């Protein structure tokens, strides 16, 4: 344990200094944690490495100011985009602080799409190109260095092992698009570092995924929309929790509804579905949902601000805002972004202590959807999460949520496939949605046209030569 203490101290020192982290050292910390679990059956205090010093607001602010300055100073020297941007608004990176950060305009996806070369830092060799797979507009291309690709899974492995979310006895089955190269690589590298098994299958027919899920995996990593297809297919095939060995399901990239989460828990026999925030452009900053439904962002690797939707200033508690994320150096080096506007809508939480299990880590509300998909009823916003939560709670289980919503003459017109109301009734469905705060005019389309209503990540289907195998055969 003495050795572990020295390594943790070294890591803490290098987080405060402006130097790169020693990846091998983090790898040894992972091994130390695994050895401790093997010997004593429990992990060292996870909070010490991940959350510890940041619970004190004064310490946190001091850390954030240093990290912002360190990151901006490096970008001012090495990134053509930010050298120009800081110069244009007369910002001196060495004087920036969390309070004066608003002087730097936010970076938007269009900047990355139109000027990718200008984001590349001088002297850093890229080794992996990855593209965003979101359904909103042209993909952005992000280049990553070898150091980044070694560092990020090492950090994830350390916190995962300390929380016992992944152990050498685990086997992870991965259903994310195989074109999401960074996400796939990070899952594989995480498993390799921990010594866990890894099976990357991509977005294949759900029957194939289930045949494999009944053959040993303990961890499942996917998107909410694909999880919905797995749940419905498992139920159609009559599969029960005893047919699976899963202990944990992780999803991200889309809105996970309460209804789907509850059904997945029952179908696969897992205690909860972990709903994570992650986005290619701002890696390795990530967020995790707590039991109270907040999203908590690890404050050691980046800064999360919430600006009002017009971008004029910070959003107040309870107001809708967009999450602005700055990954810090030395966690990002090849093509970093600074004050990146994710357009992911959240509400800041009221000031005061949070009562949840992650209370020491800064948090916002859950992600409510993309800003471009908000509907306005007079002055009242209806978020994509409002729509998905209400719609996916229908007794017809119309999963994953395929609908189109628009405002017409001051009312929401919700177009849904026939299957969403089949056997339940048009009027009952409208009343069900109204009970959940969603007064809508329902329009119904033939099921064959459903796929065009709303694009989802489960649509990134990959073909295989194998015939769909029946699970359990
Ligand atoms: Zn919380």
């Amino acid at each position: 344990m003495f050795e572990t203490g020295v390594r943790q101290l070294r890591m803490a020192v290098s987080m405060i200094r402006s130097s790169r982290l020693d990846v091998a050292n983090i790898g040894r910390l992972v091994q130390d944690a695994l050895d401790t679990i093997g010997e004593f059956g429990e992990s060292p205090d996870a909070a010490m490495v991940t959350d510890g010093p940041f619970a004190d607001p004064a310490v946190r602010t001091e850390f954030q100011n240093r990290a912002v300055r360190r990151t901006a100073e490096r970008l001012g020297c090495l990134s053509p985009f930010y050298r120009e941007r800081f110069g244009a608004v007369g910002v001196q990176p060495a004087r920036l602080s969390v309070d004066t950060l608003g002087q730097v305009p936010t970076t938007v996806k269009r900047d990355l799409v139109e000027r990718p070369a200008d984001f590349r830092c001088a002297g850093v060799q890229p080794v992996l190109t990855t593209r965003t797979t979101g359904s909103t507009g042209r993909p952005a291309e992000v280049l990553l260095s070898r150091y980044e690709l070694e560092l990020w899974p090492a950090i994830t492995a350390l916190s995962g092992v300390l929380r016992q979310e992944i152990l050498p006895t685990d086997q992870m089955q991965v259903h994310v698009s195989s074109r999401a190269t960074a996400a796939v690589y990070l899952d594989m590298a995480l498993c390799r570092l921990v010594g866990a098994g890894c099976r990357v299958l991509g977005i294949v027919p759900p029957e194939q995924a289930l045949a494999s899920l009944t053959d040993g995996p303990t961890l499942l990593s996917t998107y909410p929309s694909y999880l919905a297809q797995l749940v419905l297919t498992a139920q159609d095939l009559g599969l029960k929790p005893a047919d699976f060995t899963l202990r944990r399901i992780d999803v991200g990239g889309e809105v996970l509804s309460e209804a789907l989460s509850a059904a997945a828990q029952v179908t696969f026999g897992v205690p909860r579905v972990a709903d994570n925030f992650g986005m290619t452009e701002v890696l390795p900053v990530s967020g995790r949902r707590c039991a109270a439904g907040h999203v908590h962002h690890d404050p050691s690797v980046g800064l999360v601000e919430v600006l009002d939707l017009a971008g004029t200033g910070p959003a107040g508690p309870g107001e809708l805002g967009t999450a602005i994320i700055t990954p810090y150096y030395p966690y990002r080096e090849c093509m970093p972004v600074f004050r990146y506007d994710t357009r992911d809508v959240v509400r800041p939480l009221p000031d005061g202590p949070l009562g949840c299990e992650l209370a020491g880590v800064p948090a916002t509300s859950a992600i409510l959807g993309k800003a471009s998909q908000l509907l306005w009823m007079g002055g009242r916003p209806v978020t994509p999460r409002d729509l998905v939560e209400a719609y996916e709670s229908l007794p017809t289980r119309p999963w994953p949520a395929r609908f189109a919503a628009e405002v017409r003459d001051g009312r929401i017109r919700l177009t849904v496939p026939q299957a969403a109301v089949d056997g339940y009734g048009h009027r009952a469905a409208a009343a069900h949605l109204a009970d959940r705060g969603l007064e809508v005019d329902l329009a119904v389309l033939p099921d064959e046209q459903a796929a065009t209503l709303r694009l989802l990540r489960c649509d990134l289907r990959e073909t295989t030569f194998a015939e769909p195998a029946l699970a359990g055969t």
Side-chain angles (χ1 to χ4, degrees), residues 289-296 349 354-359 361 363-364:
R289 288 284 287 284
C290 67
H294 315 129
V295 175
H296 294 260
L349 298 177
L354 303 172
C356 61
E357 75 276 18
L358 296 174
V361 185
T364 64

Side-chain angles (χ1 to χ4, degrees), residues 11 24 77 79 128 175 211 217 235 244 247 269 290 316 409 472:
M11 194 166 116
C77 292
S79 161
L128 181 73
H175 294 285
Q235 292 178 354
F244 300 101
R247 69 177 185 99
C290 67
D409 303 326

Side-chain angles (χ1 to χ4, degrees), residues 74-95:
R74 178 174 178 276
L75 290 176
C77 292
L78 301 181
S79 161
F81 183 88
Y82 288 109
R83 187 166 54 233
E84 179 188 315
R85 173 145 291 188
F86 295 154
V89 290
V91 160
Q92 290 182 282
R95 296 186 165 205

Side-chain angles (χ1 to χ4, degrees), residues 232-255:
L232 292 181
T233 309
Q235 292 178 354
D236 284 349
L237 294 172
L239 294 169
K240 299 276 183 290
D243 296 315
F244 300 101
T245 42
L246 285 176
R247 69 177 185 99
R248 185 180 166 85
I249 299 176
D250 281 273
V251 299
E254 293 171 333
V255 170

